[in-house]
């Protein structure tokens, strides 16, 4: 309390002031912070300005001082031009204005630093020619003046000295001068006066000699805004993390005052003996840096000394590499604490005993923990910038709660994940005997068993994930910055399917038949758009909110499991066998002319493959890659003469450009001797030529070859020259039906992805497609019309509908068996492992060039057609776009799918084609079809929903609606309190966190909860803004 004029103090408010101070200081005394009578204290406080904002007096004074200084400089400059001194009195000897440097604005509004070339005095008050020429000096000095200046490019103007277009040199070009500071000093030292004059005529890019002390150890630049602290720090390498942390610490008021005033020296706080600190070196260097920054002299400074001292003390920050700013800030706060620690010899302080903590309440425990902390830590940082958190970890086994009061100098708080993107993921599993038993687990025709494979676990799964489900739905929340690879990883965790076996697509359900009922299977189509490996971020993948929607609907993601389940092959030692292990050992190039037989090791492998290829599990449980069988089959069937040329022979052929490609013989043409004669060509000894269609090429690139070119080596066995295509053929299968009313072909339902090994025959690939299509034939009475249990005719219709689906499922199962069996038999005969259908009876194992599979393929086609007519759909290959299938007529290039033994799927399918299942109308038998409400037998996939995902989706929509109600236009920020709430939220620790339960004496996945217990006067936050991702 200050005394009044009489020297007395008003003590009426002392009690109130004392009470307020004790409340603010938690009843702390002056002695608690190490002060005694006679100590000088520096206070820095903020005040409320007229605008209602808190400002620091130094900042306000600096701004006001700058405005006042500029006004004084302008007045002094105007007086100088008029021949007046600073006080406005007439100068006895006015300075010569010609040649004076000034700032002038040209007619375009741009400032230049120029020289005054000429001065003109204009007297507007008198026109009397007889007036005495001896005017007084006062009248002469106060007359209007104009100055002549020369701008860049020779542009000359006269400017009135009272105009705002003229100012003191450096007033408006000072910023540019600082940017080029010191660059012209070299030319000045070399006598470049003319060059300097030329530059002085330029715009704001003019260069001048540096006014900064050249002896300074660090490069600095003038301060354009001389408010305290307005000083930038230059990077020395990738040191922006250092500069940002230093700037943050320089604006901690109480710490800044402590360092600028060197109070650590006056009070003896500088601790040079603390082994945990730097001996006071870094604190003193940091204080010197702050004095330069807050001296109002420099607008930019290069902290060389500070960086050098920092690197010498801590090698982690010695190089110019990028580091974490939060890590460096935490290190600096800790160093400042240890370098100013008043405790010279830290006593041993025991931890709080568990029994004592159980008997006392939390406030008492917190105060005792803080008191023990202060016994070893008494510094400016502990006084103003360090607080205390209560860390509680509960053991999930014994429910024991471990409570610790931990000090902190920096709070690292997260941005809440309330803005996560919600995805509704539908996982479509491959069809197997487990999840599609109505088709794939049916016994063979004539077999009396109820099912082909027995289930080991007869207990039905409670919910997803499970291999017994065809389709599963999950709700997955992803960070807005994550990408499709992160989404794939989350789908893998939810479904248990390896991410490499998932094909991720964005989905959109659209209405294609407006006239159909809402529950009709042909009303909607799920459009799919395949996603790349690194597509994103998720914020761009999410669906946008509609104009009348409070919350955006969840984005639909369809994940298809690969339909290929590779068969695990075991070698002789019991280890898994790869294709590389079983590949031919001969080097690429010419094969022995008459020796196409495999080596003993290869023959052993081939026989082991043939033992399992096409067995009961084929296509229903596992899938066999026929790569090595296809290579062996090509060599076994390799012709010795043109009579042994055959359809379906797999070859490597050299095209017209000399490049090798794999292909198949698709036609054998008899040469016409008359054509050769008409062309004037010599009759050839060869009467036949073959047409080879190359894999993944259009038909226009087909080429013809004769047996002569076979002998010359332009056509060789499969994969003897061409690079094998190990990646399976991947295509999409779409559903379609014919709308009789509009006569349009309409895509509908859920498309699905299918993979086939490239060397599969058309028969084996067709079996794969039929097996996967069988997922859409699980009949459910919910899809029929209502049944009246008291009406015998209603029950009869239901029974007939069941029988209709039963017949369809049986037909598909029998057709799969037929195709797989014939494919197996074709391979066995082609490899010479059976003499059946051999033309000359002279075949031997793995060399059967006389075998022709045309008859076998014709026999299979005849039997297959009888079953294909019983299917509820037809299979076509179309060239329609897979990403956007649209309504309309079928593609004119559409062909029936070739269920053939002499064509491979890799030879007749390419990446621009899809497979279409054209669903037929229901049978015309009214008694059997009247119970079906849809025009086709298609049944949507039975979807199993994860219950926790439904709850997550419900909560997300509820929170989104509440946020939409609270949100205001243009307000997209997050309150700091929300981040603090997220910081205090409970979280589950993993075993990697190495938390050991004191009671269980073992590592547990404890549940952690944080509480802010004691807050300092200055609270420093680190906001974890970014999310860790594979993309960033």
């Amino acid at each position: 309390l200050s005394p009044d004029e009489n020297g007395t103090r008003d003590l009426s408010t002392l009690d109130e002031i004392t009470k307020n101070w004790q409340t603010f200081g938690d009843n702390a005394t002056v002695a608690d912070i190490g002060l005694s009578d006679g100590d000088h204290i520096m206070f820095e406080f903020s005040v409320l300005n007229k605008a209602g904002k808190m400002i620091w007096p130094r900042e306000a004074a600096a701004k006001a001082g700058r405005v006042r200084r500029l006004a004084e400089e302008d007045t002094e400059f105007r007086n100088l031009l008029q021949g007046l001194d600073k006080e406005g009195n007439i100068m006895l000897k006015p300075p010569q204005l010609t040649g004076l440097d000034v700032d002038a604005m040209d007619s375009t509004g741009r400032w230049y630093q120029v020289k005054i070339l000429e001065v003109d005095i204009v007297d507007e008050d008198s026109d009397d020619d007889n007036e005495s020429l001896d005017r007084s000096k006062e009248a002469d000095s106060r007359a209007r003046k104009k100055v002549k200046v020369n701008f860049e490019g020779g542009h000359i103007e006269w400017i009135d000295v009272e105009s705002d277009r003229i100012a003191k040199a450096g007033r408006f070009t000072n910023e540019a001068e600082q940017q080029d500071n010191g660059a012209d000093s070299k030319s000045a030292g070399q006598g470049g006066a003319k060059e300097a004059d030329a530059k002085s005529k330029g715009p704001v890019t003019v260069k001048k000699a540096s006014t900064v002390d050249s002896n300074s150890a660090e490069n600095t630049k003038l301060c354009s805004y001389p408010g305290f602290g307005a000083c930038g720090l230059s990077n020395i390498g990738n040191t922006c993390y250092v500069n940002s942390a230093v700037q943050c610490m320089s604006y901690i008021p109480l710490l800044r005052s402590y360092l600028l005033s060197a109070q650590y020296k006056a009070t003896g706080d500088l601790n040079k003996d603390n082994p945990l600190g730097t001996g006071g070196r870094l604190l003193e260097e940091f204080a010197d840096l702050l004095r330069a920054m807050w001296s109002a002299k420099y607008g930019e400074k290069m902290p060389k000394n500070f960086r050098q001292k920092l690197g010498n003390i801590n090698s982690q920050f010695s190089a110019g590499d990028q580091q974490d700013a939060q890590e460096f800030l935490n290190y600096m706060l800790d160093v400042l604490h240890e370098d100013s620690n008043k405790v010279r010899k830290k006593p041993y302080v025991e931890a709080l005993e568990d029994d004592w903590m159980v008997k006392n309440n939390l406030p008492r425990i917190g105060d005792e923990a803080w008191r023990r902390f202060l016994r070893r830590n008494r510094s400016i940082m502990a006084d103003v910038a360090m607080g205390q958190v209560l860390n509680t970890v509960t053991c999930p086994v014994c429910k024991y709660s471990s409570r610790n009061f931990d000090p902190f100098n920096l709070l690292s708080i997260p941005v809440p994940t309330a803005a996560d993107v919600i995805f509704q993921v539908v996982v479509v599993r491959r069809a197997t005997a487990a999840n599609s038993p109505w088709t794939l687990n049916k016994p063979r025709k004539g077999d009396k068993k109820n099912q082909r494979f027995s289930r080991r676990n007869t207990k039905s799964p409670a919910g997803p994930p499970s291999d017994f489900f065809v389709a599963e739905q999950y709700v997955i929340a992803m960070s807005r910055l994550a990408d499709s690879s992160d989404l794939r990883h989350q789908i893998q965790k939810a479904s248990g399917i390896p991410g490499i076996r998932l094909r991720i697509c964005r989905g959109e359900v659209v209405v294609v038949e407006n006239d159909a009922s809402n529950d009709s299977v042909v009303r909607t189509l799920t459009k799919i758009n395949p996603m790349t490996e690194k597509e994103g971020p998720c914020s761009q993948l999410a669906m946008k909110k509609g104009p009348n929607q409070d919350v955006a609907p969840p984005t639909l993601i369809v994940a298809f499991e690969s339909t290929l389940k590779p068969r695990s092959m075991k070698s002789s030692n019991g280890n898994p066998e790869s294709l590389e292990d079983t590949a031919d050992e001969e080097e690429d190039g010419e094969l022995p002319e008459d020796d196409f037989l495999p080596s003993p090791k290869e023959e052993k492998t081939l026989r082991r493959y043939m033992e399992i290829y096409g067995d009961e599990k084929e296509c229903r449980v596992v899938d066999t890659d026929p790569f090595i069988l296809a290579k062996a089959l090509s060599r076994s069937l390799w012709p010795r003469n043109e009579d042994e040329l055959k359809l379906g022979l797999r070859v490597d052929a050299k095209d017209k450009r000399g490049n090798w490609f794999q292909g198949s013989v698709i036609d054998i043409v008899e040469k016409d001797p008359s054509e050769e004669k008409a062309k004037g060509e010599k009759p050839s000894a060869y009467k036949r030529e073959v047409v080879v269609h190359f894999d993944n090429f259009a038909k226009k690139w087909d080429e013809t070859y004769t047996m002569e070119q076979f002998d010359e080596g332009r056509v060789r066995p499969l994969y003897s020259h061409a690079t094998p295509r190990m990646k399976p053929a991947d295509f999409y299968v779409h559903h379609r039906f014919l709308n009789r009313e509009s006569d349009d072909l309409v895509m509908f339902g859920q498309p699905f992805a299918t993979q086939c090994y490239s060397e599969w025959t058309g028969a084996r690939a067709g079996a794969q497609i039929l097996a996967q299509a069988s997922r859409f034939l699980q009949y459910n009475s919910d899809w029929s019309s209502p049944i009246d249990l008291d009406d015998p005719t209603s029950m009869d219709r239901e029974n007939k509908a069941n029988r209709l689906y039963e017949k369809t499922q049986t037909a598909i199962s029998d057709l799969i068996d037929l195709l797989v069996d014939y494919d197996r038999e074709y391979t066995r005969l082609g490899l010479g492992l059976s003499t059946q259908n051999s033309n000359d009876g002279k075949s031997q194992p793995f060399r059967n060039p006389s075998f022709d599979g045309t008859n076998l393929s014709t026999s299979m086609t005849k039997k297959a057609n009888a079953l294909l007519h019983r299917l509820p759909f037809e299979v076509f290959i179309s060239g329609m776009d897979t990403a956007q299938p649209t309504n309309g007529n079928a593609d004119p290039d559409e062909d029936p799918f070739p269920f053939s033994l002499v064509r491979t799927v890799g030879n007749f399918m390419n990446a621009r084609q899809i497979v279409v299942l054209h669903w037929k109308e229901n049978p015309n038998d009214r008694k059997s079809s009247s119970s079906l409400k849809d025009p086709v037998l298609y049944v949507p996939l039975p979807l199993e929903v994860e219950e926790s995902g439904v709850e997550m989706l419900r909560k997300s929509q509820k929170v989104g609606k509440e946020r939409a109600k609270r949100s205001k236009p243009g307000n997209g920020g997050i309150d700091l309190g929300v981040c603090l709430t997220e910081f205090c939220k409970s979280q589950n620790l993993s075993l990697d966190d190495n938390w050991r339960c004191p009671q269980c004496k073992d590592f547990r996945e404890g549940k952690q909860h944080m509480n802010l217990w004691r807050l300092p006067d200055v609270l420093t936050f680190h906001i974890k803004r970014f999310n860790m991702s594979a993309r960033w």
Side-chain angles (χ1 to χ4, degrees), residues 822 837 839 852-861 901:
Y822 265 91
N837 289 353
N839 294 334
D852 189 350
T854 305
N855 295 335
L856 188 65
S857 182
T858 302
S859 173
M860 184 206 69
T861 302
L901 294 175

Side-chain angles (χ1 to χ4, degrees), residues 696-715:
N696 295 316
F697 282 89
K699 194 172 183 179
K700 64 180 181 178
W701 300 106
D702 294 354
E703 293 195 20
T704 58
Y705 300 89
T706 64
M707 191 64 197
E708 180 181 8
Q709 292 167 319
F710 275 68
D711 297 337
E712 291 175 352
R714 287 196 58 190
V715 185

Side-chain angles (χ1 to χ4, degrees), residues 642 671 676 682-687:
E642 65 178 4
K671 298 181 66 175
E676 295 179 348
K682 183 179 180 180
S684 173
Y686 300 96
K687 301 178 181 180

Side-chain angles (χ1 to χ4, degrees), residues 395-533:
C395 177
V397 178
C398 66
K399 306 303 179 183
Y400 175 82
S401 293
S402 173
R403 296 179 297 184
N404 291 296
F405 287 89
D406 302 321
F408 70 89
N409 54 22
L410 179 71
L411 276 184
S412 185
I413 60 176
V415 176
T417 58
D420 282 351
V421 180
I422 303 298
F423 291 101
Q424 183 176 342
V425 180
V426 175
V427 177
V428 180
R429 295 183 179 270
R430 64 183 292 268
T432 63
N435 59 22
S436 302
W438 50 88
T439 300
L440 301 183
N441 202 19
K442 278 187 175 297
R444 278 185 176 270
K445 187 176 182 180
D447 195 339
K448 297 181 180 181
K449 295 190 301 183
N450 293 329
Q451 55 187 10
R452 186 173 305 214
F453 308 105
S454 60
R455 291 179 56 177
R456 295 181 180 179
N457 184 10
T458 58
K459 184 178 180 181
S460 300
S466 173
D467 292 334
F468 292 97
F469 297 141
V470 173
E472 302 166 352
Q473 177 179 299
Y474 302 92
V475 177
I476 297 177
M478 296 295 299
S479 168
R480 301 180 67 86
L481 295 179
D483 57 26
S484 57
S485 63
D486 302 314
L487 177 59
R488 181 189 302 272
H489 179 67
Q490 292 301 320
I491 297 176
Q492 172 183 329
K493 291 177 59 178
S495 65
I497 302 174
I500 196 173
R501 290 181 50 79
L502 289 173
R503 184 72 177 270
I504 310 297
C505 303
R506 276 183 289 181
E508 180 185 4
V509 179
V510 296
V511 177
V512 292
E513 283 291 291
N514 293 316
D515 296 336
S517 60
N518 291 334
D519 56 351
S520 174
V521 297
V522 299
R523 177 177 173 80
T524 61
L525 165 68
T526 302
K527 289 186 175 182
I528 55 176
N529 185 15
M531 297 170 60
T532 60
E533 181 64 25

Side-chain angles (χ1 to χ4, degrees), residues 978-992:
V978 177
C979 298
L980 288 172
T981 301
E982 187 73 12
F983 172 78
C984 297
K985 185 182 296 184
S986 298
Q987 61 178 342
N988 294 323
L989 301 177
S990 65
L991 292 177
D992 295 336

Side-chain angles (χ1 to χ4, degrees), residues 761-826:
T761 64
R764 177 63 181 85
Q768 184 80 355
I769 295 173
L770 294 176
Q772 303 307 315
S774 67
R775 292 174 292 184
F776 300 89
L777 288 172
Q778 182 188 15
Y779 177 66
N780 191 328
S781 60
D782 293 340
W783 295 99
S784 64
S785 57
I787 301 174
D788 186 359
L789 298 179
D790 297 330
D791 185 3
T793 60
S794 179
M795 292 295 297
D796 184 58
R797 288 196 305 269
E798 178 67 17
N799 292 333
K800 289 181 178 181
N802 277 321
R803 287 197 297 271
L804 176 61
Y805 275 94
E806 176 71 21
K807 291 179 180 179
T808 300
Q809 296 163 359
T810 302
I812 291 181
S813 179
D814 293 344
L815 183 55
I816 292 175
D817 285 335
L818 176 72
L819 297 174
V820 171
D821 290 345
Y822 265 91
D823 177 68
R824 173 186 172 88
E825 185 65 16
Y826 173 79

Side-chain angles (χ1 to χ4, degrees), residues 372-387:
R372 297 193 180 196
F373 170 76
L374 292 180
R375 290 184 60 189
R376 295 172 54 88
N377 302 275
R378 295 278 300 278
S379 68
I380 179 65
M381 298 304 300
D383 293 340
V384 303
M386 298 186 75

